[in-house]
Amino acid sequence: MSVLEEMRIRSLGVIDDAVVELSPGFTAVTGETGAGKTMVVTSLGLLLGGRADPALVRIGAKAAVVEGRITVSEGDAAALRAEEAGGEIEDGALLISRTVSAEGRSRAHLGGRSVPVGVLSELADELVAVHGQTDQQGLLKPARQRQALDRYAGDGVTRPHTAYAAAYRRLRAVVTELDELTTRARERAQEADLLRFGLGEIAAVEPLAGEDGELAAEAGRLGHAEALASAASLAHTALAGNPEDPEGVDATTVVAAAGRALDAVRAHDPALAALADRIGEISILLSDVAGELAGYADQLDADPRRLAAVEERRAALTTLTRKYGEDIGAVLAWAQEGAVRLTELEGDDDRIGELTAERDALRAELSFLGQELTDARNRAAALFAEAVTEELASLAMPHARVSFAVRQVEAADEASGIDIDGRSVDYGPSGADEVELLLAPHPGAQPRPIAKGASGGELSRVMLAVEVVFAGADPVPTYLFDEVDAGVGGKAAVEVGRRLAKLARSAQVVVVTHLPQVAAFADRQLLVEKTVDGAVTSSGVTVLEGEDRVRELSRMLAGQEDSETARAHAEELLAAARSDG
């Protein structure tokens, strides 16, 4: 279990520099009014991500600093979160610090690593439950009361709630997709028509990959057939000669003469022989080229009907490339993608039917699971209310009765709700139930929400009773109560102390109190004192033991430390508390 061992507070409110050493059990913080007791609560709040108020910084100081040391066990949720944030745990201790400057800037450190303040807030959920005259407001909200009831119910609610939450998330996804399909039906129909038209145009032309390039080349040849034939003929004549002009000079004849001239003397010089070989290669190449030119001219097609067919085909392909892609390859890619998309669009009607069936099935499943949740909460509410009522009887509220109202809100129409107890009701991610904690402080009183039916002192005792009941079901490591005993006195104060001591058997409890009956039950009592100049220094927060503790309890009882009657009463309180434990 995580335990807050120590806090060091500097330049916060009236506290100049003080160290607060806490017991793993029950620690009571006492002192005269205005001595700075509530700064202990404020410090812990800052340490665990509370709002940074620059007004808390001591006048004349640049910043307020709160440092804490928490012992954690391996595998604790707090330890795991700290490690995720990059903090280090040394010898089982986690160090936390929070700095608030006078200008309002705030910094947080966890395990030696600078972290966002939000990380400390996440730790707070795992480490501490804070209750005070202002901090009780959280549990006054119905949503928090439902969470509290679910925590108490444990697996009875967790199991159906987990299944319900998964079905709820899937239903939201299905409804979103279904809404999109139905509301955009016209747009999708238009898109499908455009795709069908485009695919039809492409299918009618039946283009082939690379066809546009091949046809462009063929059109170039057909369109310049005469010029190409003339050029080929002239080139052939220049290379091979003209049979009708025996006197004409051609390249083949000239090269052959050069070769013969060198062949006559090649035996006398290897270099000249090499040149003769190269001239022989040129002669062969010239003959090959001349032959190909002759064949080219013979095969050249100058048919105007073929040219017209090519140009007509090219025009059809150009119509496609103007609409669907820069070339026929892009057009074919568009057609492939368009066919896939059209299949999707044409399958929407089937998809709408599938989603509608799944939506109805999920709503039926949510009705079943929601009913399980409601039944489980009703069972847990009866047990929880009975246990809290028993605790209140021991806290000087013997006639008070606590109950839970587990209600549902009628849905606007049957199609928008789920069925609970035969009614169509609104629902959300946590079920269909609205949960509210009610208090009837005395017989004959109508149960009312605790925010309206309880006085300040009664509300504090209700919160304490709730936490004592929680401690056996789902405890947090540390409970901090500020003025939990407000409006309480006499026997009720003794019972508050006794219940806090009971809570401390399973958790760490820190209480800021002005009642000696409560402080007497503490395992450790801390006294907060101001110096003459109004500051709380390192010597201003002391652990009281023996005679010092009796003296402080006497002051709390009678306002007089040396009153023999008060001292006797203080010793009696301590003895009674020890025997009770």
Side-chain angles (χ1 to χ4, degrees):
M1 182 181 73
S2 302
V3 175
L4 179 62
E5 286 189 334
E6 181 181 279
M7 285 194 302
R8 183 177 183 185
I9 309 167
R10 286 178 288 173
S11 302
L12 184 70
V14 298
I15 299 180
D16 179 28
D17 189 346
V19 175
V20 179
E21 298 177 2
L22 302 171
S23 165
F26 180 5
T27 300
V29 181
T30 64
E32 294 185 358
T33 301
K37 300 187 299 299
T38 56
M39 285 297 105
V40 174
V41 180
T42 302
S43 299
L44 186 56
L46 285 173
L47 208 57
L48 295 172
R51 187 177 67 86
D53 185 353
L56 295 172
V57 179
R58 184 169 171 77
I59 296 175
K62 294 182 179 180
V65 180
V66 182
E67 299 168 315
R69 184 174 70 244
I70 298 174
T71 59
V72 293
S73 303
E74 185 177 352
D76 276 0
L80 294 175
R81 184 64 188 94
E83 290 170 351
E84 286 175 5
E88 294 183 1
I89 298 172
E90 298 181 1
D91 299 326
L94 177 62
L95 302 180
I96 305 176
S97 71
R98 181 82 180 277
T99 302
V100 181
S101 73
E103 291 80 26
R105 293 188 301 273
S106 172
R107 289 179 296 148
H109 289 80
L110 178 64
R113 177 66 62 89
S114 178
V115 296
V117 173
V119 174
L120 301 189
S121 298
E122 293 173 18
L123 280 182
D125 294 335
E126 305 293 340
L127 291 173
V128 179
V130 179
H131 290 293
Q133 291 296 300
T134 57
D135 299 302
Q136 290 164 347
Q137 302 305 312
L139 198 53
L140 300 182
K141 299 176 182 177
R144 288 287 300 276
Q145 291 172 12
R146 186 189 62 229
Q147 293 170 9
L149 180 60
D150 289 353
R151 275 176 55 202
Y152 177 80
D155 188 61
V157 163
T158 301
R159 181 187 52 78
H161 187 277
T162 300
Y164 177 96
Y168 180 85
R169 288 192 297 270
R170 177 56 190 160
L171 177 61
R172 296 270 65 79
V174 167
V175 168
T176 298
E177 185 178 355
L178 192 56
D179 287 345
E180 182 180 356
L181 288 175
T182 53
T183 57
R184 295 185 56 218
R186 179 179 298 176
E187 295 176 22
R188 291 196 314 280
Q190 293 172 346
E191 183 183 357
D193 284 343
L194 290 174
L195 285 172
R196 289 191 195 95
F197 179 80
L199 292 172
E201 273 197 315
I202 295 171
V205 175
E206 296 182 337
L208 300 174
E211 183 183 6
D212 48 345
E214 295 173 1
L215 289 174
E218 185 178 0
R221 289 193 303 273
L222 293 170
H224 301 83
E226 291 184 6
L228 292 171
S230 176
S233 177
L234 289 172
H236 179 268
T237 299
L239 294 177
N242 186 348
E244 298 178 358
D245 184 12
E247 301 297 326
V249 178
D250 59 81
T252 302
T253 302
V254 172
V255 171
R260 286 193 298 272
L262 293 180
D263 283 340
V265 293
R266 65 183 297 158
H268 304 297
D269 187 351
L272 198 62
L275 291 174
D277 291 340
R278 291 171 64 185
I279 288 176
E281 293 172 359
I282 293 172
S283 182
I284 293 171
L285 182 61
L286 286 173
S287 296
D288 288 345
V289 172
E292 290 184 17
L293 284 171
Y296 175 84
D298 293 339
Q299 295 174 4
L300 192 62
D301 186 4
D303 185 357
R305 288 176 298 179
R306 175 58 186 167
L307 177 59
V310 168
E311 292 297 351
E312 183 180 354
R313 179 65 176 173
R314 290 186 69 201
L317 296 180
T318 300
T319 299
L320 298 183
T321 56
R322 189 168 56 247
K323 293 182 179 181
Y324 307 112
E326 60 183 14
D327 55 31
I328 291 302
V331 170
L332 292 172
W334 182 92
Q336 185 176 13
E337 294 172 1
V340 173
R341 176 59 177 161
L342 182 59
T343 300
E344 293 176 358
L345 293 172
E346 289 177 339
D348 279 350
D349 289 341
D350 294 337
R351 181 61 178 157
I352 288 173
E354 293 171 2
L355 290 172
T356 301
E358 185 178 3
R359 180 200 62 191
D360 294 342
L362 285 168
R363 285 183 56 205
E365 182 181 359
L366 284 178
S367 293
F368 174 78
L369 294 171
Q371 186 69 64
E372 272 198 274
L373 270 176
T374 297
D375 293 343
R377 282 171 175 151
N378 278 319
R379 289 191 296 270
L383 295 174
F384 193 12
E386 181 180 355
V388 174
T389 297
E390 288 180 5
E391 287 296 328
L392 289 177
S394 299
L395 292 172
M397 295 178 67
H399 304 297
R401 294 289 179 271
V402 168
S403 59
F404 271 102
V406 181
R407 296 183 289 255
Q408 299 82 36
V409 176
E410 296 284 344
D413 56 77
E414 187 173 346
S416 65
I418 60 174
D419 184 69
I420 301 293
D421 291 331
R423 298 176 298 130
S424 180
V425 299
D426 288 337
Y427 63 101
S430 295
D433 304 316
E434 291 186 354
V435 175
E436 193 164 33
L437 186 60
L438 308 177
L439 173 69
H442 53 81
Q446 288 295 320
R448 300 179 64 196
I450 55 173
K452 300 177 180 178
S455 64
E458 288 172 337
L459 184 58
S460 296
R461 281 178 278 174
V462 171
M463 294 299 103
L464 175 57
V466 166
E467 291 297 358
V468 171
V469 172
F470 265 148
D474 184 22
V476 294
T478 300
Y479 294 91
L480 179 60
F481 291 94
D482 182 20
E483 302 293 341
V484 69
D485 47 25
V488 178
K491 181 181 178 182
V494 173
E495 293 302 331
V496 168
R498 182 174 286 116
R499 284 302 178 273
L500 290 168
K502 178 181 177 181
L503 185 59
R505 293 171 191 166
S506 57
Q508 182 181 32
V509 176
V510 180
V511 178
V512 176
T513 183
H514 66 279
L515 289 181
Q517 297 94 326
V518 172
F521 280 89
D523 300 307
R524 173 174 293 173
Q525 184 173 348
L526 300 179
L527 175 63
V528 180
E529 293 180 294
K530 288 195 293 187
T531 57
V532 176
D533 63 359
V536 176
T537 63
S538 57
S539 61
V541 179
T542 55
V543 178
L544 299 178
E545 295 179 348
E547 182 62 28
D548 291 335
R549 188 171 184 186
V550 172
R551 183 179 298 109
E552 170 61 8
L553 290 175
S554 299
R555 181 198 65 75
M556 297 172 71
L557 281 163
Q560 299 176 1
E561 299 175 0
D562 299 323
S563 166
E564 289 300 324
T565 302
R567 286 176 57 83
H569 192 181
E571 291 172 350
E572 184 182 351
L573 278 176
L574 284 171
R578 293 191 185 105
S579 63
D580 188 80

